[in-house]
Amino acid sequence: MTTGADAMSSLEQARDSIARAHSVAVLTGAGVSAESGIPTFRGAGGLWKTFRAEDLATPEAFARDPRLVWEWYDWRRGIIAKAAPNPAHHALVQLEKTKREFTLVTQNVDGLHDLAGSGRMLKLHGDIWRMRCTECGANWPDRRTPLPKLPPHCGCGGMARPGVVWFGEPLPEGMMQEAEHAVSSAQVFLVVGTSAVVYPAAGLVPYAKRNGVTVVEINLEVTPFSEMVDFAFSAPAGELLPQLV
Ligand code: BV8
Ligand code: ZN
């Protein structure tokens, strides 16, 4: 972990690596939205009533009690609807503008990267503002908060589910391959605000190192990969990202 005198130099070195790169990839997690007031999954505010996210974000939980799962998603949508992108989201939009090749790979379903203006994005875990029909498979945007009726339904009468990827479900077809390609063809990979424990997303960090990519991690805490990355900065993303790009 970089501290004291050499912190300055490593910040300058990291900023220099980013400035010289013509291809950059970024992985974000809930930590990038924390300064927008959205609770993270594993952070203090992550717990909802007495449930862990892993207990609710599963097909089994939905089959068992769809109303409970929808109450959780309606609660989260209500919080996200009041939130605005923070300087970390905006810094990534600026960075995208300056790079010939740029890919933002996000685990976040909150849509704040979209609101900030990010373009080239891969939403590995879907979008909380979309719904999918459990009968006919229709998929549509719905930004109403609170939802008038829980569970919401599709025009075909089928019950709707949130347009997100639940634990035990595969990511959208081909998206992981696209993410791996973006990472392996980048000079610099920024890893921002993720505890890096959920797979296959977290696997992108060691994958980047295996492909000789310079990895810069920004997190308030040490993560399973802090020792293997080239630069590990312990700072709020909203404060450090604007300085780095
Ligand atoms: C699948 C959408 C296969 C829903 C989400 C290999 C090893 C072990 C387990 C597995 C494995 N492969 C697969 C698994 C199982 C599982 C998994 O990874 N389990 C974990 C818990 C061990 N993975 C899956 O099930 C995946 N699917 O493998 O399918 C398959 C294939 C074919 C056919 C059938 C099946 C699907 C995973 C996706 C699940 N959906 N979200 C919803 O949102 O409701 S995951 C969800 O949790 C998020 O999207 C995110 O990915 C994760 C939370 O992690 P973070 O975003 O990092 O948030 P967290 O709170 O943990 O950490 C925040 C960090 O920010 C902290 O480090 C904190 O210090 C930092 N921070 C806080 N504030 C700031 C900050 N940093 C900077 N600045 C700040 N201000
Ligand atoms: Zn339907």
Side-chain angles (χ1 to χ4, degrees):
M1 183 64 67
T2 50
T3 58
D6 64 4
M8 266 318 289
S9 64
S10 53
L11 188 62
E12 279 155 355
Q13 284 172 45
R15 188 188 298 127
D16 191 46
S17 307
I18 294 167
R20 277 185 289 107
H22 59 70
S23 175
V24 170
V26 181
L27 175 67
T28 61
V32 86
S33 294
E35 292 155 80
S36 296
I38 298 179
T40 63
F41 281 74
R42 286 174 180 70
L47 281 179
W48 183 73
K49 293 191 178 169
T50 57
F51 296 96
R52 282 176 334 127
E54 279 98 303
D55 305 337
L56 283 162
T58 65
E60 296 75 22
F62 190 70
R64 224 180 8 253
D65 189 341
R67 183 182 171 73
L68 176 69
V69 170
W70 265 114
E71 274 179 23
W72 186 53
Y73 280 95
D74 198 33
W75 171 73
R76 288 171 63 189
R77 287 161 55 104
I79 291 174
I80 297 167
K82 297 191 201 70
N86 67 61
H89 298 102
H90 296 303
L92 293 173
V93 172
Q94 288 319 308
L95 182 59
E96 179 173 358
K97 290 197 177 105
T98 64
K99 295 301 170 190
R100 205 170 43 212
E101 279 177 32
F102 178 93
T103 302
L104 172 55
V105 182
T106 189
Q107 300 167 79
N108 300 346
V109 298
D110 59 28
L112 290 188
H113 285 303
D114 314 59
L115 272 186
S118 286
R120 177 94 182 92
M121 219 179 344
L122 296 173
K123 297 182 192 174
L124 293 183
H125 298 162
D127 186 339
I128 205 168
W129 298 116
R130 296 194 68 85
M131 295 189 178
R132 199 162 70 235
C133 177
T134 56
E135 303 294 329
C136 72
N139 185 317
W140 65 95
D142 183 319
R143 299 190 69 92
R144 295 172 298 167
T145 60
L147 285 165
K149 198 166 95 25
L150 295 180
H153 284 70
C154 168
C156 79
M159 187 193 303
R161 57 159 286 170
V164 300
V165 178
W166 281 330
F167 289 97
E169 292 185 324
L171 274 53
E173 187 60 37
M175 198 176 277
M176 206 47 212
Q177 290 72 12
E178 269 194 78
E180 286 173 347
H181 174 71
V183 168
S184 58
S185 57
Q187 281 84 49
V188 176
F189 183 39
L190 288 175
V191 179
V192 187
T194 183
S195 56
V197 295
V198 171
Y199 284 75
L204 289 170
V205 182
Y207 178 80
K209 287 315 303 167
R210 288 198 300 277
N211 285 273
V213 179
T214 299
V215 181
V216 179
E217 180 188 64
I218 300 172
N219 198 301
L220 292 180
E221 295 162 354
V222 170
T223 75
F225 300 121
S226 298
E227 292 308 314
M228 81 160 54
V229 301
D230 301 278
F231 300 97
F233 296 108
S234 170
E239 285 173 26
L240 193 78
L241 260 181
Q243 296 173 46
L244 264 180
V245 303

